[in-house]
């Protein structure tokens, strides 16, 4: 089956680390090993090196879980109703039953994820904390609890064919938002209106695309020279400021489809751009294309970064490109591995998915960034969800 590549990889990694079982609660890692993207973060997966996984899931999400779970056996517990037991006790009991008689010596868990991807309900997510660790200690009494955060991060950096197909769908859905942004940018539009328009189009038209069941967008639009000139920040702030003639609008867009993420950026000018804006846009576009073209197995993140950065430096804008050229993505909006940055020596590998996003930011010209998601292929690279670049 198409998902077995991921499960086999993880079990080989567990064997190398002498881990008998994993217990994961973060939605991104439950998705990684079960196919199910939890709704609120209240699902816990036990993934043994040998035997069938078990996933503790609130009973009210049985339908969604039934559509997505691969080989994990669901163990539903009452949740969100008057007769529901204490949640922690219910999860502990399921984990205890799962571990009983197994003789597991080492159980891995997520002890060191400081940045997490949200579940479907991003407005109020549950995350592992002190009580979760207490539950694990009680459920896996006699086993050594081992932090496997690094193991998970390393395993996630190279995607399987199944995961690549899912990220490609998310990137293709993001094009719906890029198209809406292109259409909506005009004199008088505010950043809030632009962000809302992009998110609406993605939710309304992206849901159902290529079978995508749950689709959500996180659009942020900075407008004008003051807002967009600090557009190098990881997140923009959309405000009520309205575009004036000649102003830049900078879209930062995250899209999640069934737990798999895309990350895109486009820039537009309301009205006629200045000659300086045209020059900066052309520089950033050539830089972005050079970075994507440099991607292939075996090259380092620093080499790709330099391919993009050198074009901006040669154009005289080096001081205005303050961030890295790209980062990993797929199970999260931003993943720590791989990285396209100065000094990054780790070689790229087939199956990695990376953003390529050089930018130039200064007043009064404004902030300019172009971002696409790129797959490292056997002989080069593939850009997911190709979409045109036009300043007006």
């Amino acid at each position: 089956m198409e998902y077995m590549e991921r499960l086999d990889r993880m079990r080989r990694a567990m064997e190398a680390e002498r881990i008998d079982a994993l217990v994961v609660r973060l939605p991104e890692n439950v998705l990684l090993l079960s196919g199910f993207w939890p709704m609120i973060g209240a699902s816990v997966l036990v993934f043994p090196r040998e035997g069938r996984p078990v996933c503790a899931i609130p009973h009210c999400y049985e339908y969604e879980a039934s559509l997505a779970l691969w080989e994990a056996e669901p163990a539903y517990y009452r949740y969100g109703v008057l007769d529901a037991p204490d949640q922690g006790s219910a999860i502990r009991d399921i984990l205890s039953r799962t571990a009983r008689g197994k003789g597991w010596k080492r159980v891995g868990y997520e002890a060191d994820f400081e940045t997490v991807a949200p579940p479907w309900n991003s407005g109020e997510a549950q995350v592992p904390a002190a009580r979760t660790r207490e539950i694990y200690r009680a459920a896996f009494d006699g086993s050594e609890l081992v932090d496997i955060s690094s193991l998970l991060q390393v395993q996630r950096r190279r995607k399987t064919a199944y995961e690549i197909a899912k990220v490609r769908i998310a990137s293709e859905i993001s094009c719906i938002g890029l198209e809406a942004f292109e259409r909506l940018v005009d004199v008088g539009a505010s950043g809030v209106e632009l962000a809302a328009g992009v998110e609406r189009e993605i939710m309304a038209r992206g849901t159902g695309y290529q079978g995508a069941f749950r689709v959500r967008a996180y659009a942020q639009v900075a407008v004008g020279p003051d807002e967009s000139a600090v557009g190098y920040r990881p997140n923009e702030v959309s405000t009520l400021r309205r575009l004036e003639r000649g102003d830049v609008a900078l879209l930062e867009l995250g899209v999640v489809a069934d737990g798999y993420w895309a990350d895109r950026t486009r820039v537009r000018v309301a009205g006629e751009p200045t000659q300086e804006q045209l020059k900066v846009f052309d520089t950033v576009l050539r830089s972005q294309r050079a970075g994507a073209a440099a991607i292939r197995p075996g090259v380092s993140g620093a080499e790709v970064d330099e391919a993009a950065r050198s074009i901006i430096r040669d154009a005289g804008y080096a001081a205005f490109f303050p961030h890295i050229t790209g980062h990993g993505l797929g199970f999260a909006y931003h993943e720590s591995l791989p990285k396209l940055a100065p000094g990054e020596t780790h070689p790229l590998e087939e199956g990695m998915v990376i953003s390529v996003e050089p930018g130039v930011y200064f007043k009064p010209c404004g902030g300019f960034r172009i971002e696409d998601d790129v797959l490292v292929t056997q002989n080069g690279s593939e850009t997911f969800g190709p979409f045109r670049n036009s300043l007006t």
Side-chain angles (χ1 to χ4, degrees):
M1 297 182 182
E2 55 189 358
Y3 57 77
M4 286 305 299
E5 180 184 357
R6 168 56 62 201
L7 306 189
D8 290 343
R9 279 193 200 176
M10 184 58 71
R11 287 181 170 125
R12 288 195 298 271
M14 292 167 67
E15 184 174 10
E17 297 292 328
R18 297 182 297 109
I19 302 294
D20 297 306
L22 307 180
V23 55
V24 295
R25 183 168 181 171
L26 291 175
E28 57 206 273
N29 294 325
V30 175
L31 172 67
L32 175 77
L33 296 175
S34 77
F36 173 54
W37 183 36
M39 303 287 281
I40 57 174
S43 300
V44 181
L45 177 72
V46 180
F47 184 83
R49 196 171 73 213
E50 298 178 359
R52 187 178 180 186
V54 173
C55 195
I57 303 169
H59 83 285
C60 47
Y61 303 127
E62 181 173 353
Y63 173 70
E64 289 79 12
S66 70
L67 296 177
L69 282 173
W70 297 331
E71 64 173 30
E73 175 186 354
Y76 297 106
Y77 64 92
R78 300 284 289 172
Y79 180 84
V81 291
L82 289 175
D83 63 345
D86 172 72
Q87 180 188 10
S89 299
I91 292 173
R92 182 200 61 213
D93 290 346
I94 292 171
L95 301 186
S96 296
R97 290 197 302 271
T98 302
R100 188 173 298 135
K102 299 296 195 304
W104 293 333
K105 294 181 179 179
R106 286 162 56 87
V107 175
Y109 76 111
E110 311 143 310
D112 195 24
F113 273 75
E114 293 192 351
T115 301
V116 301
W120 170 244
N121 181 5
S122 59
E124 190 173 39
Q126 297 185 18
V127 295
R131 192 179 185 207
T132 298
R133 291 192 294 273
E134 292 173 2
I135 290 169
Y136 293 167
R137 291 190 189 101
F140 304 112
D141 185 33
S143 301
E144 178 188 2
L145 290 178
V146 181
D147 178 19
I148 43 80
S149 302
S150 294
L151 182 148
L152 287 168
Q153 294 281 18
V154 169
Q155 287 299 307
R156 283 167 40 164
R157 71 186 177 192
R158 189 165 59 89
K159 274 56 178 181
T160 66
Y162 174 87
E163 294 156 1
I164 288 166
K166 292 294 188 179
V167 179
R168 185 183 287 112
I169 288 171
S171 286
E172 290 175 0
I173 290 173
S174 74
C175 294
I176 296 170
L178 302 183
E179 181 183 37
F181 178 67
E182 188 177 77
R183 183 178 70 252
L184 294 171
V185 169
D186 200 358
V187 173
S190 72
V192 168
E193 290 169 340
L194 293 170
V198 168
E199 290 189 359
R200 181 198 178 281
E201 289 290 302
I202 288 173
M203 288 282 287
R205 295 172 51 202
T207 303
Y209 176 84
Q210 295 290 317
F213 184 57
R214 288 182 278 156
V215 174
R216 176 155 287 166
Y218 298 82
Q220 307 136 56
V221 181
V223 300
D226 291 333
E227 292 182 5
S228 65
V230 292
Y232 54 81
R233 300 184 297 182
N235 305 99
E236 312 307 331
V237 178
S238 304
T239 72
L240 296 173
R241 187 193 185 283
R242 298 191 176 276
L243 283 165
E244 299 177 6
R245 192 165 301 280
D247 277 350
V248 164
L250 179 67
L251 168 68
E252 166 64 28
L253 176 63
V255 173
V256 60
D258 296 325
Y260 298 89
W261 288 81
D263 185 5
R264 310 294 294 272
T265 302
R266 287 296 186 272
V267 61
R268 302 279 287 178
V269 167
E272 292 296 318
T274 66
Q275 288 302 307
E276 176 103 70
Q277 288 172 330
L278 288 169
K279 179 186 176 185
V280 172
F281 177 77
D282 177 70
T283 300
V284 172
L285 180 58
R286 288 188 294 111
S287 171
Q288 203 267 349
R289 287 174 174 171
I295 289 175
R296 63 183 183 279
V299 303
S300 69
E303 290 176 283
V304 178
D305 179 89
E306 177 59 19
R309 196 172 299 274
S310 63
I311 289 175
I312 291 176
R313 183 172 58 244
D314 291 347
Y317 298 119
F320 307 120
F321 178 18
H323 57 74
I324 67 174
T325 295
H327 58 83
L329 70 149
F331 289 101
Y333 194 175
H334 298 81
E335 294 185 339
S336 59
L337 300 170
K339 185 186 298 183
L340 308 180
E344 184 62 34
T345 59
H346 193 282
L348 301 183
E349 303 172 42
E350 182 181 358
M352 290 180 170
V353 181
I354 317 169
S355 72
V356 182
E357 49 178 308
V360 170
Y361 316 84
F362 64 96
K363 293 190 289 187
C365 189
F368 294 73
R369 182 171 67 256
I370 298 169
E371 178 179 15
D372 290 317
D373 304 331
V374 179
L375 169 69
V376 183
T377 64
Q378 184 177 13
N379 299 310
S381 66
E382 173 195 348
T383 298
F384 287 162
F387 192 85
R388 58 189 169 270
N389 281 283
S390 175
L391 196 54
T392 58

